[in-house]
Amino acid sequence: MEERFDIVIIGGGVVGSMIARALARYRLRTVLIEKESDIGMGASFANTAIVHAGYDPHPGSLKAEMNLRGNAMWDEVAQELNVPFERCGDYVVAIGPEELPRLDKLMEQGRRNGVPGMRVISGEEMRKREPLLNPATSGALWAPSGGLCEPFSATLASAENAIQNGARLMLETAFIDFIWQGKRIIGVQTSRGPLYCRWVVNAAGLFADEVMHKAGVRPEFKILPRRGEYLVFDEAEVPVKNVLFPVPTKISKGILVTASLHGNPLVGPTAQTGTDKEDRSTTPPGLDEVIRGAQKMIPSINLRHTIAMFAGLRATGNARCQAPGVAYQADFIIEIPAGVDGLVNLGGIESPGLTSAPAIAQRVVALLKDAGEPLEEKVDWNPLRPARPRFNRLPRALQSQLIASDPRYGRIVCRCEGITEGEIVAEIHGPVPARTYDALKRRTWAGMGRCQGSFDLPRVVAILSRELGISPIEITKKGPGSEFLVRLTKDVEAEDGI
Ligand SMILES: Cc1cc2nc3c(=O)[nH]c(=O)nc-3n(C[C@H](O)[C@H](O)[C@H](O)COP(=O)(O)OP(=O)(O)OC[C@H]3O[C@@H](n4cnc5c(N)ncnc54)[C@H](O)[C@@H]3O)c2cc1C
């Protein structure tokens, strides 16, 4: 039977998932399609997790507008979705007297963008707040509205809330082309066959240029992947408590050192423009740049304390910022393009795209409304997404209750992060089911700690095999082609009841 929807959203990153959530409020048949085996495997997983205050983008740019609006929405969004968010504020740290004037410039830009509460503090005061900082710290810009979130949790929770309110999610479903009736888009051809609809929303991140080109929109627009490499440090060895930016460079916000909501501090990212949209490798020169940048701010940081490294790809576009007086800044595209009926087109959603995602979703709804789409609210729409228990975040009494109700919460599968079998099983059968090792890692943080999976991996593979009813040989790290095991050597009795 033909699949008919009102709206097809291409791309299950934080932007597509928040758009799906916003549209699920209305009486529309909405489907979110994602080419990968899970949502949030692109930039929405590998980033710095900062909800930016908004002093960076040029005043008048769409980036500045979305950043400020998005930032202001995070308290409510995080509360409704039941995901971690802390409005901890952030600092831009000047090292040496020569960097001090840059703080005033940023402060002025932030003031023009409407960032609340910013002020410049002395080097002495800054070092009281973060004692590990370089003794040459000459001052800092303090922006109390900056924050930290868990980007994947926010992506997952948004998709779950959309599903809870009636939206469909189709994983391993790649957009291939548009289906046309004259100049009107009437559907999309996907790797799973055609999906018919009245509107398509392009939220394909790094691949958004290729999607819009298939509709003949902005043929000159190009996305170049800009790789950012990171190091993750052991919290016990690098007890950084704050979000610390250096003064920004012309092309990026620079190498920052930041606390994270998971505990382990993060250092990075680099900014290397390339052409390969799949190349998330880390490199010796990149990691060298990361460590040198970090040591400029925190001299005691040492490579020996690294527990992991990763890289993310920014979807840097070449759409010019239209704000007057701006020489050049790549800006976000959020539009219904002229000449094509049925497309909401997004592009160049690099940083601060995570911060902006709730505002971008709101803007997409407004564009559809302006285009005459009748948006009738569902009477039973529920913005609240229930969270599943996180064992190691619960007080002792609640942990005991949980174990009494389900003994699987009493079996620790990941020792470093304190993740239980109960949590793993809940995620495998969650609203967006985790069917690979990495999907579980993203959801529970199992394997992200000091031992980086050496303890939990065989246990998680055994649980996945049991719960999915498939052989351990079929269990993958991140989808087909990434199987862990080659063949059975002997039959091993199930261990620890797993
Ligand atoms: C290194 C780095 C650091 C960053 N730090 C921050 C930060 O601290 N704060 C901040 O606000 N922002 C930050 N950002 C930016 C932020 O991460 C992104 O703007 C945001 O995640 C973009 O979300 P998205 O949904 O547009 O893209 P993505 O998360 O990349 O999602 C796009 C999705 O589309 C899917 N897709 C692509 N093509 C197809 C197709 N043909 N069919 C079906 N699906 C398809 C992809 O698989 C992917 O899942 C950072 C980005 C990077 C890379």
Side-chain angles (χ1 to χ4, degrees):
M1 207 178 75
E2 240 173 38
E3 293 262 42
R4 290 207 167 266
F5 295 94
D6 294 305
I7 304 196
V8 173
I9 302 162
I10 305 168
V14 69
V15 172
S17 299
M18 287 210 180
I19 293 171
R21 173 177 190 247
L23 291 174
R25 179 175 188 152
Y26 304 100
R27 289 166 63 92
L28 294 167
R29 288 159 303 170
T30 302
V31 61
L32 175 62
I33 64 168
E34 168 54 55
K35 68 179 168 67
E36 302 295 341
S37 59
D38 194 9
I39 55 155
M41 288 173 69
S44 300
F45 178 65
N47 59 61
T48 325
I50 294 171
V51 172
H52 290 291
Y55 46 77
D56 263 309
H58 281 286
S61 63
L62 195 50
K63 273 186 182 171
E65 185 188 343
M66 291 295 113
N67 187 335
L68 265 289
R69 278 176 197 257
N71 175 297
M73 292 171 77
W74 265 89
D75 300 275
E76 188 180 329
V77 166
Q79 201 177 20
E80 288 178 346
L81 294 177
N82 246 306
V83 292
F85 168 64
E86 249 181 60
R87 203 172 278 286
C88 51
D90 67 55
Y91 297 93
V92 181
V93 179
I95 309 289
E98 63 284 2
E99 288 190 353
L100 262 181
R102 300 289 302 281
L103 300 184
D104 293 330
K105 274 196 181 157
L106 275 180
M107 170 101 169
E108 172 54 17
Q109 189 158 284
R111 197 194 52 73
R112 288 177 62 199
N113 284 346
V115 179
M118 282 183 307
R119 67 190 172 91
V120 173
I121 61 172
S122 70
E124 199 186 350
E125 171 62 25
M126 186 63 232
R127 283 182 47 227
K128 268 193 216 144
R129 296 186 186 192
E130 188 60 73
L132 295 176
L133 274 172
N134 190 331
T137 299
S138 49
L141 175 67
W142 161 236
S145 61
L148 279 172
C149 68
E150 281 181 11
F152 182 76
S153 304
T155 307
L156 178 68
S158 302
E160 285 186 4
N161 187 237
I163 292 168
Q164 190 188 326
N165 283 303
R168 273 255 318 263
L169 169 67
M170 294 174 72
L171 295 172
E172 293 177 3
T173 306
F175 162 86
I176 292 170
D177 211 339
F178 292 99
I179 304 172
W180 298 89
Q181 197 169 65
K183 280 189 171 182
R184 165 150 278 283
I185 290 171
I186 55 161
V188 290
Q189 196 57 253
T190 78
S191 53
R192 289 182 187 269
L195 299 173
Y196 291 92
C197 60
R198 288 182 297 114
W199 287 97
V200 178
V201 179
N202 173 12
L206 276 170
F207 298 88
D209 53 348
E210 295 168 34
V211 171
M212 68 180 87
H213 295 166
K214 295 258 180 181
V217 170
R218 292 184 180 257
E220 76 299 341
F221 177 72
K222 200 164 170 47
I223 291 177
L224 286 178
R226 207 150 47 96
R227 194 150 43 106
E229 299 184 38
Y230 292 89
L231 289 168
V232 183
F233 284 85
D234 188 343
E235 186 184 7
E237 305 287 354
V238 185
V240 172
K241 292 190 238 30
N242 295 293
V243 179
L244 307 167
F245 287 97
V247 293
T249 68
K250 270 196 179 129
I251 55 160
S252 85
K253 298 180 185 83
I255 304 291
L256 63 125
V257 178
T258 174
S260 78
L261 294 187
H262 285 288
N264 294 321
L266 198 63
V267 174
T270 52
Q272 304 127 21
T273 303
T275 50
D276 185 348
K277 292 181 176 178
E278 306 288 353
D279 181 9
R280 292 184 173 82
S281 57
T282 51
T283 60
L287 297 176
D288 196 44
E289 186 187 334
V290 170
I291 197 77
R292 274 188 285 112
Q295 282 170 342
K296 182 176 170 197
M297 263 200 291
I298 305 213
S300 59
I301 281 193
N302 191 310
L303 257 185
R304 274 187 298 129
H305 304 141
T306 309
I307 59 170
M309 53 191 79
F310 67 92
L313 292 172
R314 304 170 182 89
T316 305
N318 61 353
R320 183 176 283 274
C321 169
Q322 299 297 321
V326 176
Y328 178 77
Q329 191 198 27
D331 208 353
F332 290 165
I333 297 170
I334 310 169
E335 64 183 6
I336 293 184
V340 178
D341 287 341
L343 178 66
V344 181
N345 188 37
L346 273 52
I349 312 294
E350 57 174 345
S351 187
L354 168 65
T355 310
S356 308
I360 294 174
Q362 205 177 52
R363 175 61 59 93
V364 168
V365 172
L367 284 174
L368 287 169
K369 223 178 236 174
D370 289 350
E373 184 64 29
L375 296 178
E376 199 187 317
E377 207 169 294
K378 290 174 185 159
V379 280
D380 55 352
W381 173 69
N382 180 5
L384 306 180
R385 171 260 184 190
R388 292 176 286 285
R390 285 283 162 257
F391 188 79
N392 61 5
R393 293 182 187 169
L394 293 175
R396 277 254 178 251
L398 286 182
Q399 288 183 337
S400 304
Q401 268 181 30
L402 200 56
I403 296 170
S405 69
D406 183 343
R408 291 174 297 186
Y409 284 96
R411 287 200 282 273
I412 297 287
V413 170
C414 167
R415 284 196 297 210
C416 301
E417 298 293 320
I419 312 299
T420 65
E421 185 186 345
E423 290 163 271
I424 301 277
V425 170
E427 295 303 331
I428 294 172
H429 301 295
V432 182
R435 302 178 65 85
T436 66
Y437 178 73
D438 279 0
L440 283 168
K441 197 169 166 179
R442 282 188 287 273
R443 284 160 177 75
T444 63
W445 226 241
M448 295 280 206
R450 194 178 247 244
C451 91
Q452 288 289 298
S454 4
F455 181 79
D456 72 85
L457 177 62
R459 286 162 178 80
V460 172
V461 168
I463 297 169
L464 271 167
S465 158
R466 182 191 71 204
E467 295 296 320
L468 299 177
I470 57 178
S471 158
I473 294 175
E474 294 171 74
I475 303 301
T476 66
K477 179 170 161 52
K478 53 181 181 180
S482 61
E483 290 76 12
F484 290 105
L485 304 167
V486 181
R487 63 186 164 82
L488 288 177
T489 50
K490 56 188 172 188
D491 288 331
V492 183
E493 288 269 308
E495 198 188 304
D496 299 338
I498 285 171

